[in-house]
Every structure is written in C-alpha cells, then in structure tokens.
Amino acid sequence: MIPWISDQKRRSIRPKKESGGFVHAIFRNEKVQLLAVALGTAAAGEFKINPVPGDLFRIALGGSAFLLFLLLMNRLPYVKAGLYAAVTVVLFRVLLDLIFAPGDFLLENSLRMHTSSGLYYLVFAAGLLPLQRRIGSMNALALGACCAGIDLVSNGAEMVCRWLLNGSDIANPATWGYIAVVGLARGFFVTGLYSSIAVSQIRALHLEQSKRIEQMLTVNSGLYGEIFYLRKSMAAIERVTGDSYRLYADLKREGSEEMGRRQLKLTQELHEVKKDSQRIAAGLLKLFDQESKTLLTLTEIADYALRGNRKYAAMLGKPILFDVEASDDYATAQHLPLLSLLNNLLANAVEATERSGVIGLEIRQADGRTRLTVRDTGRGIPEKNRSLVFEPGFTTKFGESGTAATGIGLSHVRDIAHELGGDIRLLPSGEDGWTTAFEADFPTERLKKGE
C-alpha cells in the first residue's frame, strides 16, 4: 500500500480500475439483453407505413428488428424475449399517445388499441421457439419460409385481437393480401441479412484462425529446428560422457588418483548436463506429440512458408516477387520439418537478394520422389564456395561489426532432409536466369505416410 494516497483518493481510483469489467458484466446479463431487444424493437416499430386506411394494419420495422435480434441472439429465452418486447412496445406506444395527444388521451383506449401489437411479438417468439436450436444449421431458404409463415400467423393473431378488442373490420381480402406479401418479404429479407452477417462472422473467424495457425506453425517449426539440434547435442554429450568415463577408468588403472578424481567429477557433470538436456527435450517433444496427427498439404506448407518470408522481405525493405509452381499436392504429417526446411531456404534467398528480385518455389513429383526447389536471382554463390555450403560453420554472412554468422542454416537443412530419408543439393547456377537453386528430394511414400 502506498502511504501517501489518502482513503478518499483511493476510493476515487478504484471504480475507474474496475469500470470496464463492470460494464462488460452488465451487457452480458440476460435481463439487460432482453431489455435492449425490447427497446430496440419498440423504437424500430415507429418507422412505419400504413398501406390500408386507418391503423388496422401497418408495415413497421419493429417485426424485422425483432426477428433479426432473435436470429442473432438465439441463446436468449425466446418466450421471455417476446414477453419483454410485447410489454415494452405497448407501454412505449401508450407513452407516445400521452405525449403527442394529451388532450384526447385515455389510458383504457390506448391500451386496447396497442395490446394487439404486443400480442404479435409474443406469438412470433413462441412460433420461432421450436426452431431455436436448429437456426444455425438450417438452410437459408427453409428458414426464410418458416419465418414468413410465423409472421403470417402472428399478424393473423394481431388482427383477430384487434377485432375482439376494437371491433376492427378484418374481412377485407386486400388487408390479408398485404399481410401475406409483407410476411414473405420480411421473412426472406431478414433471414438473408442474418445469413450475410453470419457469413461475415465466419470469414472473420476463419481469418483469425488462419493467423493463429500461421503463428503456431512458425513457432513450432522454429522449435522443431531447436529440438533437432538439441537431440544431436544430446547424442554428442552421450558419446563424450562415455569417453570421459573410459578416460577415468584408464587413469585409475594407471594409479593417477588425483587426475582420476578430477576426471570422474568432469564425467559426473557431463552426465548431469545430459539429464538436463533429456528433460528439456522430453518437455518440448510433448508439444509435437500433440500435433503428430495433424495433416497439411504441400501447398499449405508452402503457403505458410511464403507468407512468413514475404513479411521478412518487407521488413528488410526488399520488393521481392515470390513465384510458386505446384504440379502435385498431397497431405503429410511431416509439416514441421518441411516448413523448417523451406523457411531456411527461403530466408537465405531473401537475404541473398540485394535490392529486388524473384524467388521461385517449385513442388513436383517424379519416379516416386517429391522435389522441393527454391531458386532466387540474388548475388549467387561463388564457385569456390559451392562445395562448402552444407558444412557446419561455413558462412559468407557477416554482421555490421564483422562477426560471422553461426553458419548452421544449410547444414541444418541437410540434416532435416536426411532425417526424412531424403537429400538436398545445390543445382548448377545460371539455369533459366536463376543465380542460386537448391533442390530437396524425398521419398514420396515416406512423406505421405508421415513415418
């Protein structure tokens, strides 16, 4: 607690901190939602036209607004929503009568005049209730037809109520014709609008999911590369630990006790490093065990790799054109190693492009092999370095301070290719205008089975 803030100031600060959650909680309250639907319906109902003389039947936006609310908020209790709307509409219209015609206002007459309008919403909500759980899965035309039928019945109930309460003439065939036409128009128009909104929501959700999948795959492909090298390091640590212990045994046999103790301590420390590495690897591998059954097509993998590297090129300020050609496609469970491989090759191509250029990615099958080829029009690889590009530690990249890069990128790519039973090679330069081209070659059956 900060001592110099007074209790009065502390009380004035606390509501501001919690106001967002409070407001959010209010709008999630069912009664508040029902009241909002009722008020929105009542307000929309005042936008109307009267196709027949008098106030016997009018075409208003209230029915359309109420139907749209019910379709969009189909978790609300429909009968309660109809009751809230009915009471609110009647009270709202009675209040308008009082405001605009106070001299002629009689509460009994006003209630008798508007009660039938409230009945429309109650009957409509009850009629839509059997469809409530199936709205999301219904065909738009079938839903429109059902809503039009419910609208016709609701308007019929309203007309009969007007006749009973006010003695209105409901025998005019033109009036019923208007009711039928308006019901059809309203049913199909509102359900069409609802379908459009639903499609927009689905598209927005799909876009958001695509972004999350892309982020997840980018992170996972990076983790895959780190785990790949962690496992290689663990194998090296295992060999070094064995050699260290054997050296300890040799020193002990030769009577070098002091050197033997020091060597044994070194062996024990190596063993601890190995166990720590195993725990880390086991924890990370669980992440990939959960994704082991995930399948992506080759073109989906290529698309994700290209998206990331387009952003990388834009970040570097390089207007690079990415050209993709995929003559064959199939699903594979080996999406993480393939994505890691392509990301390395494409990132190298982006970095090799000095200002602007073209990067090509080709996917094809031939003779039971799947070939992924990445080409670029960058600065190319000098002939003297072409035989060294896959060697660990080799690099031609230097930072601003003159520090060499780690040089494990292409050796990483080669190791991943070997892990999948394939290989990678640097193709001759100058083919079709490309300065650099790498071709990764895999057994198609191995990728398809995801072994």
Side-chain angles (χ1 to χ4, degrees):
M1 181 179 294
I2 302 174
W4 46 266
I5 297 182
S6 67
D7 289 340
Q8 184 177 359
K9 289 183 179 179
R10 197 174 292 121
R11 284 193 297 270
S12 66
I13 290 173
R14 187 177 296 112
K16 292 181 181 178
K17 180 179 178 181
E18 298 177 355
S19 62
F22 178 69
V23 172
H24 182 66
I26 287 179
F27 281 99
R28 290 189 63 181
N29 184 280
E30 181 182 285
K31 290 182 179 179
V32 173
Q33 293 177 357
L34 289 170
L35 185 58
V37 168
L39 290 173
T41 301
E46 296 309 307
F47 295 90
K48 59 185 183 295
I49 60 172
N50 292 69
V52 295
D55 201 31
L56 176 62
F57 174 68
R58 61 184 184 176
I59 301 173
L61 291 180
S64 301
F66 184 64
L67 173 55
L68 186 59
F69 283 138
L70 294 185
L71 293 177
L72 292 176
M73 306 171 70
N74 62 357
R75 292 186 179 181
L76 289 178
Y78 275 6
V79 175
K80 280 188 178 180
L83 184 60
Y84 269 68
V87 173
T88 303
V89 166
V90 172
L91 293 179
F92 189 76
R93 294 183 181 177
V94 168
L95 181 60
L96 290 180
D97 287 347
L98 176 61
I99 293 172
F100 291 107
D104 300 329
F105 179 77
L106 289 175
L107 179 61
E108 182 182 352
N109 291 342
S110 185
L111 285 174
R112 189 166 55 245
M113 176 65 65
H114 299 303
T115 297
S116 55
S117 298
L119 180 64
Y120 166 86
Y121 296 103
L122 188 58
V123 173
F124 195 102
L128 199 60
L129 182 63
L131 304 178
Q132 184 171 10
R133 294 185 178 181
R134 295 184 291 155
I135 285 174
S137 59
M138 286 185 69
N139 177 276
L141 290 177
L143 181 60
C146 290
C147 290
I150 295 169
D151 188 89
L152 179 61
V153 172
S154 303
N155 272 311
E158 179 183 357
M159 295 288 286
V160 171
C161 183
R162 285 185 183 278
W163 172 65
L164 293 174
L165 293 177
N166 303 307
S168 301
D169 181 15
I170 61 172
N172 188 347
T175 301
W176 292 98
Y178 280 124
I179 290 175
V181 171
V182 170
L184 285 171
R186 179 153 48 203
F188 284 102
F189 173 77
V190 175
T191 53
L193 181 59
Y194 162 74
S195 298
S196 299
I197 294 173
V199 168
S200 298
Q201 290 176 336
I202 291 171
R203 286 177 179 171
L205 180 62
H206 176 72
L207 181 61
E208 182 63 26
Q209 288 178 337
S210 296
K211 289 180 180 178
R212 291 184 180 182
I213 290 172
E214 182 180 353
Q215 292 172 350
M216 179 191 70
L217 287 174
T218 301
V219 171
N220 282 356
S221 65
L223 280 175
Y224 176 87
E226 300 306 320
I227 291 174
F228 187 86
Y229 273 96
L230 180 60
R231 292 168 69 182
K232 287 186 65 177
S233 298
M234 287 169 56
I237 292 172
E238 183 73 34
R239 291 193 300 270
V240 172
T241 303
D243 291 342
S244 181
Y245 185 80
R246 283 189 290 272
L247 180 56
Y248 157 73
D250 292 342
L251 290 171
K252 186 177 180 181
R253 278 194 301 271
E254 293 175 2
S256 302
E257 294 185 4
E258 179 62 25
M259 293 295 292
R261 281 194 297 271
R262 292 169 62 183
Q263 187 61 37
L264 180 60
K265 185 178 179 181
L266 179 60
T267 303
Q268 290 170 340
E269 290 177 353
L270 285 171
H271 182 66
E272 288 300 314
V273 171
K274 184 191 75 172
K275 289 196 299 183
D276 290 342
S277 299
Q278 286 175 335
R279 282 192 289 269
I280 294 170
L284 291 175
L285 284 170
K286 286 180 181 179
L287 299 174
F288 297 105
D289 289 342
Q290 295 174 359
E291 302 294 331
S292 59
K293 296 182 180 180
T294 301
L295 296 178
L296 290 179
T297 64
L298 296 180
T299 52
E300 287 174 331
I301 295 168
D303 184 52
Y304 285 121
L306 289 169
R307 284 189 204 175
N309 282 281
R310 283 193 183 100
K311 294 175 184 177
Y312 184 40
M315 183 187 72
L316 296 178
K318 297 180 178 181
I320 297 174
L321 174 65
F322 288 84
D323 180 58
V324 185
E325 182 180 346
S327 57
D328 296 282
D329 196 17
Y330 56 82
T332 176
Q334 300 290 0
H335 53 279
L336 289 178
L338 290 176
L339 186 57
S340 182
L341 180 145
L342 286 177
N343 273 333
N344 271 277
L345 292 177
L346 289 168
N348 283 345
V350 169
E351 292 165 1
T353 303
E354 296 182 344
R355 292 186 179 179
S356 63
V358 181
I359 295 175
L361 172 59
E362 182 183 7
I363 302 172
R364 69 183 189 280
Q365 289 187 66
D367 302 324
R369 311 286 293 184
T370 296
R371 294 183 175 89
L372 308 178
T373 307
V374 175
R375 303 180 176 92
D376 67 75
T377 58
R379 57 179 172 268
I381 300 174
E383 192 64 35
K384 63 180 181 180
N385 295 334
R386 293 177 68 84
S387 61
L388 304 174
V389 292
F390 294 110
E391 295 299 321
F394 174 79
T395 184
T396 59
K397 302 174 187 176
F398 294 88
E400 294 180 359
S401 62
T403 305
T406 57
I408 64 172
L410 288 174
S411 64
H412 178 187
V413 170
R414 180 192 59 186
D415 292 340
I416 290 177
H418 290 171
E419 182 80 3
L420 295 177
D423 199 4
I424 186 169
R425 54 188 172 272
L426 176 61
L427 300 179
S429 60
E431 291 186 354
D432 299 325
W434 303 103
T435 54
T436 307
F438 288 93
E439 182 179 79
D441 187 307
F442 307 97
T444 298
E445 198 63 26
R446 176 77 175 268
L447 294 185
K448 280 187 175 181
K449 289 183 178 180
E451 297 176 350

